[in-house]
């Protein structure tokens, strides 16, 4: 369980760092760029990817899509944490698991059992109730776009990573190294253009924050994979503990440390989110 605890801690820490970025006027795009550089270096050191296996037969369209989506959705994640807080953003990110579930049914023609269907039925109201801001009289469409993009974006990313996992010619960690490398290049191009057009100024503090962000971002992935290796016979345990842990710990951090305001309706949404993850976990345990 230590790996699950470490993975949860790293995931929530990433959200905390993004929350603090506004306070210290950190350039998110610069931090995200260095984050991917840090992640790919750590990926090389820990996973020792065999780059000689990379060829034209690799799933390059999937790699390219991920290279663009990862930094893009990371920016939406940061904006969501900034505008709506850690609690609502973590729930949006964790409930994005519904996207690959729906893809499995409609695209890959997998069967649904009663628990999976119940999880989806409970989960979508959870998203709606969690994001409602009762105190606001103005339309919240401008704020909704960020968690919605987090929800859809991380869901699509999950589907694409599952596609990579199905490509047996390349080890998953080698593909991960390629994706991080391409995501870094995409981010670097964006930062370079912004620097040349003077829309951003390269500062050492942003680069330092990017290294820290990359450490925890990679740590989340590393410990999650190790948890699955340690509990290879109980993948549903890892799935449930990780998703529930991030929702619960993220909520406690948001409410107790950052004093994020939640209405009774939001708390109901939080409870439904927990119930949805439990139901999806049961669907894996009782899958036939």
């Amino acid at each position: 369980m230590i790996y699950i605890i470490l993975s949860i801690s790293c995931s929530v820490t990433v959200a905390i760092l993004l929350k603090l970025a506004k306070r210290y006027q950190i350039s998110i795009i610069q931090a995200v760029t260095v984050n991917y550089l840090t992640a790919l270096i750590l990926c090389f050191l820990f996973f020792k990817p065999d780059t000689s296996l990379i060829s034209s037969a690799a799933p390059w369209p999937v790699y390219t899509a991920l290279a663009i989506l990862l930094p893009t959705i990371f920016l939406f994640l940061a904006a969501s944490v900034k505008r709506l807080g850690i609690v609502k953003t973590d729930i949006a990110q964790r409930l994005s698991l519904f996207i690959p579930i729906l893809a499995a049914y409609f695209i890959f023609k997998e069967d649904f059992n009663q628990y999976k269907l119940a999880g989806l039925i409970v989960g979508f109201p959870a998203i709606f109730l969690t994001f409602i801001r009762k105190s606001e009289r103005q339309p919240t469409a401008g704020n909704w776009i960020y968690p919605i993009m987090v929800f859809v974006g991380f869901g699509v990313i999950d589907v694409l990573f599952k596609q990579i996992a199905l490509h047996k010619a390349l080890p998953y960690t080698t593909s991960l190294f390629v994706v991080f490398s391409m995501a870094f290049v995409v981010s670097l191009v964006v930062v370079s253009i912004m620097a040349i057009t003077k829309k951003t100024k390269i500062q050492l503090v942003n680069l330092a924050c990017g290294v820290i962000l990359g450490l925890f971002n990679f740590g989340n992935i590393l410990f999650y994979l190790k948890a699955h290796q340690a509990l290879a016979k109980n993948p549903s345990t890892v799935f449930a503990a990780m998703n529930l842990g991030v929702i619960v710990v993220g909520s406690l951090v948001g409410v107790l440390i950052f004093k994020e305001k939640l209405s009774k309706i939001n708390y109901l949404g939080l409870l439904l989110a927990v119930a949805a993850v439990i139901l999806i976990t049961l669907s894996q345990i009782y899958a036939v």
Side-chain angles (χ1 to χ4, degrees):
M1 287 297 288
I2 184 64
Y3 290 129
I4 296 175
I5 294 172
L6 289 171
S7 184
I8 292 170
S9 300
C10 287
S11 181
V12 174
T13 301
V14 168
I16 293 172
L17 291 171
L18 294 175
K19 181 80 172 180
L20 294 173
K22 177 184 176 183
R23 182 180 301 176
Y24 297 102
Q25 298 181 327
I26 302 300
S27 170
I28 296 298
I29 183 60
Q30 290 182 38
V32 166
T33 302
V34 179
N35 151 77
Y36 284 118
L37 176 61
T38 304
L40 74 88
I41 291 173
L42 292 172
C43 185
F44 182 80
L45 293 175
F46 280 88
F47 297 144
K48 295 178 172 54
D50 188 354
T51 55
S52 64
L53 296 175
I54 302 171
S55 68
S56 58
W60 290 105
V62 179
Y63 290 164
T64 303
L66 282 169
I68 296 171
L69 272 175
L70 282 173
T72 302
I73 298 304
F74 213 128
L75 295 178
F76 277 105
L77 178 70
S80 182
V81 169
K82 175 182 174 182
R83 291 172 178 265
L84 293 180
I86 293 174
V87 179
K88 298 180 180 183
T89 302
D90 273 344
I91 290 175
Q93 184 179 353
R94 291 299 144 185
L95 291 187
S96 66
L97 60 92
F98 293 150
I99 303 293
I101 289 173
L102 291 172
Y105 180 76
F106 289 106
I107 299 175
F108 304 111
K109 307 303 179 182
E110 293 182 10
D111 293 330
F112 265 27
N113 58 29
Q114 58 187 2
Y115 293 106
K116 193 170 290 186
L117 184 60
L120 290 172
I121 293 172
V122 171
F124 284 110
I127 298 169
F128 177 76
L129 294 174
T130 302
F131 296 158
I132 288 178
R133 301 183 70 174
K134 188 177 179 181
S135 61
E136 285 191 353
R137 295 181 181 178
Q138 300 296 325
T140 58
N143 287 327
W144 274 66
I145 186 64
Y146 299 105
I148 287 174
M149 287 301 296
V150 168
F151 172 76
V152 175
F154 274 100
V156 173
I157 286 169
D158 196 359
V159 172
L160 293 175
F161 270 122
K162 281 180 170 59
Q163 289 294 97
I164 286 178
L166 294 174
H167 191 80
K168 302 300 183 181
L170 274 177
Y172 184 78
T173 50
T174 299
S175 289
L176 195 62
F177 177 77
V178 174
V179 170
F180 281 154
S181 300
M182 294 176 68
F184 167 66
V185 172
V186 170
S187 301
L188 184 62
V189 169
V190 174
V191 170
S192 299
I193 293 172
M194 292 178 68
I196 291 170
T197 57
K198 298 184 178 179
K199 291 183 178 179
T200 188
K201 183 179 179 181
I202 306 298
Q203 294 179 306
L204 186 59
V205 64
N206 298 323
L207 307 185
C209 288
V211 172
I212 297 171
L213 190 64
L215 288 171
F216 285 103
N217 198 17
F218 179 79
N220 176 31
I221 297 170
L222 175 65
F223 294 127
Y224 186 64
L225 291 177
K226 284 189 173 292
H228 272 293
Q229 291 172 351
L231 299 170
K233 295 182 179 180
N234 298 287
S236 57
T237 300
V238 179
F239 174 88
M242 183 62 192
N243 286 285
L244 289 174
V246 171
I247 290 175
V248 173
V249 176
S251 298
L252 290 173
V253 169
V255 172
L256 298 179
I257 297 179
F258 291 101
K259 310 300 180 184
E260 294 177 5
K261 303 296 183 183
L262 297 181
S263 66
K264 292 180 180 179
I265 294 177
N266 295 151
Y267 280 113
L268 175 59
L270 177 60
L271 289 175
L272 288 177
V274 171
V277 172
I278 292 173
L279 287 167
I280 296 299
T281 304
L282 289 174
S283 77
Q284 295 183 345
I285 295 175
Y286 295 107
V288 293

